[in-house]
Amino acid sequence: AQKITQTQPGMFVQEKEAVTLDCTYDTSDQSYGLFWYKQPSSGEMIFLIYQGSYDEQNATEGRYSLNFQKARKSANLVISASQLGDSAMYFCAMREGHGSSNTGKLIFGQGTTLQVKP
Amino acid sequence: DGGITQSPKYLFRKEGQNVTLSCEQNLNHDAMYWYRQDPGQGLRLIYYSQIVNDFQKGDIAEGYSVSREKKESFPLTVTSAQKNPTAFYLCASRKELNWEGNQPQHFGDGTRLSIL
């Protein structure tokens, strides 16, 4: 069965420093996709970054980058130059299925709460 | 601005009562999803729909029902059979552009449901 594991329930980082949030996944599919979302205390889910299993380059979006290590089945999120507004819960998610069986369904990890200290 | 609107923001349910959570999107997205989130936990899929008049059960569908009569709307009913409905409910939608599935799901602001 497909599964996402986030082993860090909570993390602290000093403002302006970089932080890495861990995500490991388990799947027998050759084609899959990995997403990271941010959930502030207000509750909405904000899409941050996507990595496809066949993408050769690590994904980057502004201050967010994804350290994708396929052999280790890990997809860690790196946030550079942390800001106070980065304090939130972060979720790693994996898309189920591919091709004609792709329903877009996501499996979510348990999340990591990040607190940025001034 | 296009987006996903969930209403109400807060909802209270009495014992034995059915309640319906609204989800409307004007993004012209094909697929819509309902998730449940318990405190400090990840999201779990309740139901999803890829096209109008068709929907599929997710991982925790028992005690819930949905309909998809219009592309824009995907209401979720929490029935009296759901014995522990207190949670945060999130609706999402996604544009089905290609088989690769790299289009992200876009989420509404959620509804917090509590039992009276």
Side-chain angles (χ1 to χ4, degrees):
Chain A
Q2 296 179 318
K3 187 178 179 182
I4 292 281
T5 302
Q6 295 180 253
T7 57
Q8 306 154 311
M11 293 275 290
F12 288 93
V13 65
Q14 204 67 36
E15 193 178 9
K16 298 182 184 177
E17 292 186 351
V19 63
T20 297
L21 306 183
D22 294 342
C23 172
T24 57
Y25 59 91
D26 189 18
T27 181
S28 56
D29 286 347
Q30 295 301 308
S31 175
Y32 50 88
L34 296 154
F35 298 79
W36 276 93
Y37 283 87
K38 171 184 178 182
Q39 187 179 42
S41 57
S42 51
E44 75 270 28
M45 296 284 283
I46 302 166
F47 166 69
L48 297 177
I49 196 166
Y50 168 82
Q51 179 83 43
S53 58
Y54 291 124
D55 294 341
E56 295 183 353
Q57 302 277 349
N58 284 344
T60 61
E61 287 287 348
R63 294 187 298 111
Y64 304 108
S65 60
L66 207 151
N67 183 2
F68 182 48
Q69 298 188 41
K70 197 169 180 177
R72 291 187 172 187
K73 292 189 175 178
S74 74
N76 299 338
L77 177 70
V78 180
I79 305 175
S80 63
S82 297
Q83 301 172 356
L84 296 177
D86 293 335
S87 294
M89 199 156 184
Y90 290 80
F91 290 96
C92 180
M94 180 166 60
R95 164 180 50 82
E96 274 194 342
H98 60 277
S100 60
S101 68
N102 176 19
T103 63
K105 288 167 57 179
L106 295 177
I107 301 167
F108 284 83
Q110 298 293 302
T112 295
T113 300
L114 176 67
Q115 292 193 36
V116 180
K117 295 181 177 180
Chain B
D1 284 341
I4 301 172
T5 302
Q6 289 189 243
S7 62
K9 195 172 179 67
Y10 299 95
L11 186 59
F12 299 91
R13 195 192 87 169
K14 296 179 181 178
E15 292 287 341
Q17 186 182 41
N18 292 353
V19 292
T20 297
L21 284 60
S22 170
C23 178
E24 303 276 336
Q25 56 98 359
N26 60 4
L27 299 167
N28 196 31
H29 284 178
D30 305 289
M32 297 186 74
Y33 308 82
W34 273 107
Y35 293 92
R36 170 180 171 140
Q37 185 179 25
D38 291 287
Q41 301 296 313
L43 279 65
R44 292 183 291 167
L45 183 65
I46 305 172
Y47 268 98
Y48 68 100
S49 167
Q50 290 180 278
I51 56 173
V52 175
N53 292 323
D54 186 54
F55 48 83
Q56 306 295 329
K57 292 182 179 179
D59 301 317
I60 55 166
E62 187 174 349
Y64 300 97
S65 66
V66 293
S67 63
R68 186 89 186 274
E69 297 176 2
K70 300 187 298 182
K71 188 175 184 178
E72 303 79 18
S73 178
F74 192 41
L76 173 74
T77 296
V78 184
T79 74
S80 57
Q82 173 49 246
K83 298 306 179 188
N84 183 23
T86 298
F88 186 51
Y89 291 86
L90 284 157
C91 178
S93 68
R94 191 179 80 97
K95 184 67 176 175
E96 308 258 292
L97 284 181
N98 54 52
W99 69 270
E100 291 180 357
N102 58 354
Q103 297 303 311
Q105 292 184 16
H106 297 264
F107 286 80
D109 290 343
T111 293
R112 293 191 187 276
L113 176 61
S114 302
I115 292 185
L116 280 178

